[in-house]
Amino acid sequence: MKLGTKHNGSRDGQLMVVSRDLTRCIEADPKIPTLQSALDSWDSHQSLLQECYQRLNDNSSLGTPTHEVRWMAPLPRAYEWIDGSSYIHHIVLVRKARNAEPPKTLRTDPLIYQGGSGVLLGHKDDVVLRDTAWGCDFESEVAVILGDTPQNTTKDEAHKYVRLLCLVNDVSLRNLIPAELEKGFGFFQSKPASGFSPFVVTPDELGTYWKEGRIHLPLVTHLNDALFGDPNAGPEMHFSFFELIAHITKTRAYTAGTILGSGTVSNEDRARGSSCLAERRMIEIIDNGVATTPFLQHGDRVRIEMKNERGESIFGVIEQKIVPPKA
Amino acid sequence: MKLGTKHNGSRDGQLMVVSRDLTRCIEADPKIPTLQSALDSWDSHQSLLQECYQRLNDNSSLGTPTHEVRWMAPLPRAYEWIDGSSYIHHIVLVRKARNAEPPKTLRTDPLIYQGGSGVLLGHKDDVVLRDTAWGCDFESEVAVILGDTPQNTTKDEAHKYVRLLCLVNDVSLRNLIPAELEKGFGFFQSKPASGFSPFVVTPDELGTYWKEGRIHLPLVTHLNDALFGDPNAGPEMHFSFFELIAHITKTRAYTAGTILGSGTVSNEDRARGSSCLAERRMIEIIDNGVATTPFLQHGDRVRIEMKNERGESIFGVIEQKIVPPKA
């Protein structure tokens, strides 16, 4: 099943059921006005949504074209946005570039941070950047949306709480990070609002590509129409989503609608490129002693998408432009 | 105006208008079922709530007794919970105890972290502690609840976005903190669900005690019926709430219902005691080389309250007990 949130002037938008091929959509049952309301009562609403999805796929005359709809983030505001850093190659690369050893617990204790979740950007929402000196970067990621998840969930039970999957652009302000991390309390100003794919899908939509808590497909990033990277999100995700869920539930529980990200997708094979500017800049530093790729400038465009083996888009496309604030 | 959220079996509870003396309450207008809905449309709902509050205060036969109601956290789940650390004495004390210098930016750049906000505890909800070796501590704080707050809000404009004030018990797991901060991404497992005062109040309820973005009243903490501390939350709050708002809006905007905490209230005068165990333990270490006050054990009870000069409770009482998980 595929779902999206239509902009209708309200804060949380209108829940839409979207056809498998992403071409058409219809409003969900009036009892389920928003994606949060669907997640809040998933067990009772799931079959209603599923029937609607089936009807839409079976009858190509049903629904309105998705390209006529303005899509918000699937959850325009969420109760939590938690982001892991599960691709070890990304961490090792960044450390190597500054001649630092990776942390000793790199492979045993997930790196994770709590992000801001009150304002989340739609797939075509501009990234408003006040100061290009902040070093704006994209980070292409995959994410899961959880149902109510109890404290002390084990890795083996975690699959039960994964309701939906999506893509994320975790916007980062690289030049604000060192001073913030120096203070010891983690990211804050350095992590502005993240952008989301227009559509979220249930795990069954990925078939065998969803395996052991990982999505085994390339995540494709373009910068200004040039391919920037297409690393596979599966094999090198050191901590699976199931392990990340076990980690975050050690001391507390989560409400339905909590979004959990994978961290920047990264492969050891350099031919797969990168999912963020920082990584390419680090490779330049390692190779040539100096980074030549600049951070994002006003006017730059970032495009993030994931396709199946038949070349069909699964989640739709994140296409964000970097812009200055309106005068 | 004073408001609270009644447990009615739903996730977000029922918004109640509460009398100034906290003895009686009535359901808010059906158009405003929850506190979040009130905050989402504050400009249009405020006068309706205010009229109801006036009626309740003017007619002592109106409403039901508040002690017969089970109160949830005012926002049982919030879109963001952001916590500052604005009392310099608290930071300096903790650093001194481990022979470290305070950070150079201590007085110019606020310490702040993003907390989990999807599950917030009511004033009498137990703190479920799986392992007492985690070093469970309370932190008595004051907090503001914001309306929609734009990016780049200045200190001078910030007052416009403060809708409500409340008290918080920011539960912390001290022995999990060092390993988490070592990884550089801030707190996560070390910050389980926080507890909230039953009632939130508009700033005018504090009269002249609310001044320049600070609450100038003692915050009183009891541990197992013994007074633990009563530091004044006003004069030594180095960064006011207005300065904290300017800090957090540098790179992003916030949705209505965002909760922003002050950090552990702390005064230089030792006679005022402390608002957390860690601080008392640090004083013991400085004085005697060793901490003798233990962290919280199962069965311990924490009580947090703020009264005006006439001894009247402003926000009601946080009274939480530390318990093991149910078998």
Side-chain angles (χ1 to χ4, degrees), chain A residues 5-309:
Chain A
T5 295
K6 174 179 157 176
H7 191 284
N8 66 350
S10 72
R11 290 175 179 270
D12 301 304
Q14 164 67 49
L15 179 61
M16 304 294 286
V17 178
V18 179
S19 64
R20 180 168 289 126
D21 65 5
L22 308 181
T23 59
R24 291 165 298 112
C25 59
I26 47 177
E27 283 194 10
D29 190 284
K31 283 200 293 289
I32 323 171
T34 64
L35 181 56
Q36 184 63 49
S37 66
L39 290 158
D40 280 348
S41 303
W42 191 255
D43 289 343
S44 56
H45 290 334
Q46 190 185 5
S47 58
L48 214 56
L49 292 169
Q50 188 66 45
E51 282 163 30
C52 177
Y53 182 60
Q54 197 61 51
R55 270 201 316 279
L56 186 64
N57 286 326
D58 290 349
N59 183 347
S60 63
S61 66
L62 262 188
T64 53
T66 48
H67 68 79
E68 292 177 5
V69 169
R70 179 174 162 201
W71 298 99
M72 305 174 82
L75 291 167
R77 48 184 186 175
Y79 290 109
E80 302 205 25
W81 155 236
I82 298 161
D83 201 10
S85 187
S86 249
Y87 297 86
I88 299 286
H89 181 248
H90 176 75
I91 305 170
V92 169
L93 196 58
V94 171
R95 301 269 173 154
K96 193 191 279 182
R98 49 179 163 97
N99 292 316
E101 286 298 310
K104 285 196 183 65
T105 58
L106 181 72
R107 287 165 199 282
T108 53
D109 187 20
L111 270 174
I112 208 148
Y113 77 90
Q114 187 90 36
S117 55
V119 176
L120 302 177
L121 302 180
H123 71 134
K124 289 192 173 177
D125 287 351
D126 292 334
V127 174
V128 177
L129 178 63
R130 270 211 292 140
D131 189 345
T132 53
W134 290 344
C136 188
D137 199 355
F138 53 90
E139 293 191 2
S140 312
E141 308 193 5
V142 294
V144 297
I145 301 179
L146 304 178
D148 291 302
T149 305
Q151 191 178 341
N152 213 15
T153 295
T154 66
K155 175 189 158 190
D156 293 341
E157 298 166 320
H159 66 96
K160 292 190 285 186
Y161 305 108
V162 175
R163 297 279 175 269
L164 297 161
L165 309 170
C166 63
L167 306 182
V168 185
N169 176 18
D170 177 41
V171 182
S172 296
L173 301 171
R174 298 290 181 192
N175 294 339
L176 299 186
I177 290 178
E180 280 205 318
L181 295 196
E182 172 82 13
K183 291 193 288 174
F185 275 24
F187 306 106
F188 200 95
Q189 293 175 331
S190 51
K191 292 285 186 181
S194 296
F196 285 79
S197 59
F199 310 118
V200 294
V201 315
T202 47
D204 60 290
E205 289 292 336
L206 277 93
T208 56
Y209 301 120
W210 172 245
K211 198 165 60 186
E212 294 168 355
R214 296 174 180 86
I215 302 179
H216 289 262
L217 281 169
L219 182 62
V220 184
T221 303
H222 285 80
L223 175 60
N224 298 328
D225 302 323
L227 179 66
F228 195 84
D230 61 351
N232 194 302
E236 297 181 44
M237 186 183 186
H238 184 76
F239 298 105
S240 73
F241 280 113
F242 300 157
E243 288 166 304
L244 294 179
I245 291 167
H247 180 81
I248 66 170
T249 59
K250 178 173 174 175
T251 61
R252 56 186 168 106
Y254 296 84
T255 190
T258 295
I259 310 172
L260 173 62
S262 65
T264 311
V265 175
S266 178
N267 285 177
E268 287 192 30
D269 180 1
R270 280 196 185 182
R272 307 309 292 268
S274 298
S275 300
C276 68
L277 292 167
E279 211 174 292
R280 180 183 278 187
R281 287 168 55 89
M282 292 304 161
I283 290 172
E284 292 168 349
I285 290 171
I286 291 165
D287 287 356
N288 313 316
V290 59
T292 49
T293 299
F295 285 119
L296 294 170
Q297 303 299 310
H298 293 146
D300 279 344
R301 287 168 295 109
V302 178
R303 189 180 199 280
I304 303 169
E305 190 173 22
M306 181 174 269
K307 294 176 174 178
N308 65 18
E309 63 191 351

